Amino acid sequence: MKNKKNKVSVEESPTVLTNKKSKWQILGKQKMLILMSLPFVLYIILFRYVPLWGWTMAFQDYKPYKTFGEQEWVGFKWFIQLFTEKEFLLSLRNTVGMSLISTALGYVTAILIAVFLNEVRYIGIKRFVQTVSYLPHFLSWVIVTGLVANVLSVEDGTLNNILMGLHIVDAPVKWLSVPKYFWHIIGWTYVWKEVGWNTIVYLGAMTAIDPCLYEAAQIDGCGRLRKIWHITLPGIKPTIIIMMIMSAGHILDANFEMPYLLQNGMIQDVAETIDIYVLKYGFKLSRYGLATAAGIFKNVVNIILLVIANSIAKKSGEERLI
């Protein structure tokens, strides 16, 4: 009886009722923010979560003319078959290779340019460099791919004309027909397009560094390089780690448009990524189960890599996402 009385008294406690009432009052005051966020929540649900129903095709011998109940369930057959196909293993290798090159080059160049802009004292030069480096970000990958194809063309390509004019090469180089060049072309094109945009994050982190640290270093006789090494880079270290953790979750998300549009028969073995593999087997060859299994594999591996990177940062005492 005492326990029941205690429960009743707790349930009817004024503080509990006040807390409940205050929560609803807070929600009521923020109803406009909730309404503004509603379209984005619906977008995520409709285009991110509802399509997950299609993952069931990876466990079926899917036939478009059959209903869901008539489909034949095959378990992990398509996942096992993925790793017995040479084409998928090549696409996995190409995806990882291109992604690692683009990520590494993107990090190094973005940090270097951010440090350079932070050290520039002439506002006009700083704004000019920022504007020029930001502009390519707003171009679509289709346009960028067309520009790259024209620049690297064998007949009238700008790069070949410059190299031949300087007598560095005697004949035009077939840049887009030699496999060993392709990954580097993808990587440096990504840098050209995104480096200016990526520097925004690091420049923002640099503004949070206490100016007194630079003044103290100046009094101690430190030059610019010492200030960069001992103040600027340690100051943006948490941001660098967070960006690395986020990039770990996109290792298998190599750019789709550029490899797809630039690939040809001579470089197909190094140009096909997992996304191209999914497109090829899902739409062209109508092997829906195999294509869905490849897509699931890519997303699951990305999530695992993200969790691992976050755990390593947590155990190292560094900044982390969660």
Side-chain angles (χ1 to χ4, degrees), residues 15 44 73 91 111 132 139 156 160 165 174 208 245 277 318:
T15 56
I44 294 296
W73 294 87
S91 67
I111 294 171
V132 171
L139 298 176
D156 298 318
N160 278 325
K174 297 180 180 180
I245 293 173
Y277 178 89
E318 303 291 348

Side-chain angles (χ1 to χ4, degrees), residues 247-262:
S247 295
H250 294 281
I251 292 296
L252 297 187
D253 286 334
N255 181 265
F256 167 76
E257 292 89 346
M258 196 171 179
Y260 181 72
L261 295 173
L262 289 180

Side-chain angles (χ1 to χ4, degrees), residues 78 82 277-279 281-283 287-296:
W78 302 123
L82 277 178
Y277 178 89
V278 170
L279 177 67
Y281 277 81
F283 289 92
R287 298 179 66 181
Y288 304 105
L290 191 64
T292 306
I296 293 175

Side-chain angles (χ1 to χ4, degrees), residues 1 11 16 18 23 44 69 78 85 95 98 101 109 123 126 139 146 171 177 185 212 221 229 251 257 265 286 299 319:
M1 292 296 292
E11 290 176 358
V16 175
T18 304
K23 289 179 181 179
I44 294 296
W78 302 123
E85 291 200 1
T95 302
M98 281 186 264
I101 289 175
T109 53
I123 302 299
K126 190 173 183 178
L139 298 176
S177 300
I185 292 171
C212 295
W229 186 256
I251 292 296
E257 292 89 346
S286 299
N299 287 289
E319 292 292 331

Side-chain angles (χ1 to χ4, degrees), residues 31-174:
K31 61 182 179 181
M32 293 306 298
L33 293 175
I34 295 173
L35 290 175
M36 289 174 63
S37 63
L38 187 61
F40 300 102
V41 174
L42 292 175
Y43 172 83
I44 294 296
I45 293 173
L46 290 175
F47 295 99
R48 299 295 180 182
Y49 287 99
V50 173
L52 292 179
W53 174 258
W55 279 15
T56 55
M57 289 191 292
F59 307 95
Q60 301 171 340
D61 186 11
Y62 182 78
K63 304 297 181 184
Y65 52 85
K66 292 183 179 181
T67 63
F68 180 80
E70 296 174 343
Q71 301 294 338
E72 179 186 353
W73 294 87
V74 295
F76 292 94
K77 173 185 175 181
W78 302 123
F79 292 94
I80 297 171
Q81 187 172 334
L82 277 178
F83 295 95
T84 60
E85 291 200 1
K86 180 182 177 182
E87 192 170 355
F88 175 75
L89 296 177
L90 284 175
S91 67
L92 177 60
R93 181 203 65 180
N94 298 337
T95 302
V96 174
M98 281 186 264
S99 183
L100 289 178
I101 289 175
S102 299
T103 301
L105 291 175
Y107 268 109
V108 174
T109 53
I111 294 171
L112 288 176
I113 292 178
V115 170
F116 165 75
L117 291 175
N118 189 57
E119 294 296 319
V120 172
R121 296 292 175 259
Y122 297 99
I123 302 299
I125 296 176
K126 190 173 183 178
R127 289 177 178 174
F128 174 77
V129 174
Q130 285 179 313
T131 303
V132 171
S133 61
Y134 293 167
L135 286 177
H137 171 77
F138 299 99
L139 298 176
S140 70
W141 276 106
V142 176
I143 295 174
V144 171
T145 302
L147 292 173
V148 171
N150 289 330
V151 170
L152 301 180
S153 175
V154 177
E155 298 178 358
D156 298 318
T158 305
L159 183 57
N160 278 325
N161 290 337
I162 293 173
L163 294 177
M164 292 178 67
L166 297 174
H167 302 289
I168 297 176
V169 297
D170 298 325
V173 180
K174 297 180 180 180

Side-chain angles (χ1 to χ4, degrees), residues 5-24:
K5 288 181 180 179
N6 290 334
K7 287 182 180 179
V8 172
S9 62
V10 169
E11 290 176 358
E12 295 177 354
S13 174
T15 56
V16 175
L17 294 174
T18 304
N19 289 334
K20 289 182 178 179
K21 188 176 180 181
S22 62
K23 289 179 181 179
W24 284 108

